[in-house]
Amino acid sequence: MAFVKKIFILLVLGTLASAGYFMYWSQHPIIGDEVEPIEFSIVPGSGAHAAGQQIAEAGAPVQPLLFNLLARITSKSGKLKAGTYELKPGTTPLGLLDQLVRGEFAQEQLTIIEGWTFRQMRAAVAAHQGLKHDSIALSDKELLSAIGSEYTQAEGLFFPDTYLFAKGSSDLHIFRQAHAMLLTRLNDAWAKRDPALPYKSPYEALTMASIVEKETGQKSERGMIAGVFVNRLKIGMMLQTDPTVIYGMGARYDGKIRKSDLETDTPYNTYTRNGLPPTPIALPGLQSLAAALAPAKTGALYFVSKGNGTSQFSDNLTDHNRAVNKYQR
């Protein structure tokens, strides 16, 4: 009888010790601060034991049997989300389990720069290794259709910003998000516009914003630049802006714009054609959108670069020619 009692006591002590170890293990960091984050993927349909094995196979010191037991005890075994994750220093098994339940995937980011063309945006998206490239074989028109856009010309229709996404996401997610953001920003600005502005549609305002974006890197002058071009539109004066000519030249542009380029007619040559070009010429940022739809109140019709990043604005051709002689010759 005494022997049975001893066995019982040992079993109880062993159980308590195991339970204590299990509690300690579940709340103790899997990797220390000196270890780099470990990336791993959970395939669709994985239970807790399979997930633990996949994590261990990626190089993380996780014990699949204990991980499975923890998931079952906490009733989270069937709630794990497939995807790519990062095990960061300081994460406990319990924290890791919660991460998988919440679907806190490994985050990637992509920055789209103000003033890029859509071609440059597509190149940046195509070069990002964290994306699944579903759009690579699509034309611009097909890409727009794939993200549910009603437009057929892609230029200017994507908002430049930094976008976060789960590693392995479809690149169409980036295009869809950037397009939706652009439409939101554009429509918000359009709703607050001065009705006297010479735009027939938000798209024309977007085209103006893209011109403003390319005409100056000086944010403080964007309102004045927009004011000049709006004044020209109102009186039927040609916009005569080099960035539209350059855009129309396409691959022919070699970094220089010549007199012959200004005289060669294209749909984007605002030296040979009146009004706005047929599409935007770049991806405008928020400040350029704001400038196009709330331009500075000015009588200026001309501007010339001072060579220091700022411009000299003039109300008449005589003053403009003086400014050109002063700053450009």
Side-chain angles (χ1 to χ4, degrees), residues 19-33:
Y21 172 76
F22 181 75
M23 289 296 294
Y24 170 81
W25 170 83
S26 69
Q27 299 179 49
H28 187 74
I30 300 169
I31 55 175
D33 293 338

Side-chain angles (χ1 to χ4, degrees), residues 72-289:
R72 290 183 179 279
I73 290 174
T74 55
S75 301
K76 296 177 180 178
S77 182
K79 300 177 181 179
L80 309 187
K81 294 179 175 63
T84 300
Y85 295 85
E86 229 179 29
L87 174 62
K88 297 180 180 178
T91 303
T92 66
L94 194 57
L96 177 60
L97 182 60
D98 288 339
Q99 184 180 346
L100 269 59
V101 170
R102 289 194 296 264
E104 294 178 357
F105 306 118
Q107 289 286 295
E108 297 276 344
Q109 70 177 40
L110 173 64
T111 299
I112 308 303
I113 306 298
E114 295 177 357
W116 271 4
T117 62
F118 183 59
R119 177 178 293 184
Q120 288 174 301
M121 177 183 177
R122 288 203 69 170
V125 171
H128 200 294
Q129 297 181 355
L131 286 166
K132 180 183 176 186
H133 299 290
D134 293 325
S135 72
I136 200 76
L138 301 180
S139 66
D140 288 356
K141 186 175 181 180
E142 290 169 337
L143 190 154
L144 287 171
S145 178
I147 64 173
S149 175
E150 297 179 356
Y151 290 90
T152 57
Q153 299 289 331
E155 192 62 80
L157 289 171
F158 299 84
F159 190 70
D161 203 348
T162 295
Y163 294 94
L164 301 177
F165 55 92
K167 188 169 185 178
S169 297
S170 171
D171 57 2
L172 291 173
H173 171 73
I174 300 296
F175 289 115
R176 190 176 293 110
Q177 192 175 357
H179 182 52
M181 182 63 72
L182 185 280
L183 294 181
T184 297
R185 300 290 194 185
L186 176 60
N187 290 333
D188 285 349
W190 178 258
K192 301 171 186 175
R193 76 191 185 284
D194 181 347
L197 289 171
Y199 309 131
K200 298 175 183 176
S201 67
Y203 190 73
E204 287 194 352
L206 178 65
T207 300
M208 176 62 82
S210 73
I211 295 173
V212 173
E213 186 69 58
K214 296 299 289 185
E215 266 289 3
T216 179
Q218 192 68 246
K219 295 180 180 180
S220 62
E221 290 191 348
R222 291 180 185 181
M224 281 293 292
I225 297 292
V228 168
F229 288 135
V230 163
N231 289 343
R232 290 184 182 183
L233 283 179
K234 285 182 175 179
I235 65 175
M237 178 179 174
M238 287 183 174
L239 294 183
Q240 294 186 324
T241 169
D242 291 358
T244 63
V245 177
I246 292 169
Y247 187 84
M249 292 171 65
R252 291 192 297 110
Y253 181 63
D254 61 2
K256 295 181 181 179
I257 187 167
R258 302 167 180 81
K259 183 179 179 181
S260 59
D261 298 320
L262 301 179
E263 295 172 346
T264 301
D265 184 53
T266 75
Y268 292 87
N269 191 336
T270 51
Y271 285 83
T272 61
R273 300 196 183 194
N274 257 317
L276 292 162
T279 73
I281 60 171
L283 310 180
L286 188 59
Q287 289 186 319
S288 292
L289 283 172

Side-chain angles (χ1 to χ4, degrees), residues 274-319:
N274 257 317
L276 292 162
T279 73
I281 60 171
L283 310 180
L286 188 59
Q287 289 186 319
S288 292
L289 283 172
L293 285 157
K297 303 294 184 182
T298 177
L301 287 170
Y302 304 92
F303 62 92
V304 63
S305 172
K306 293 181 179 180
N308 63 357
T310 65
S311 302
Q312 177 68 43
F313 295 88
S314 304
D315 293 357
N316 57 73
L317 186 58
T318 300
D319 288 345

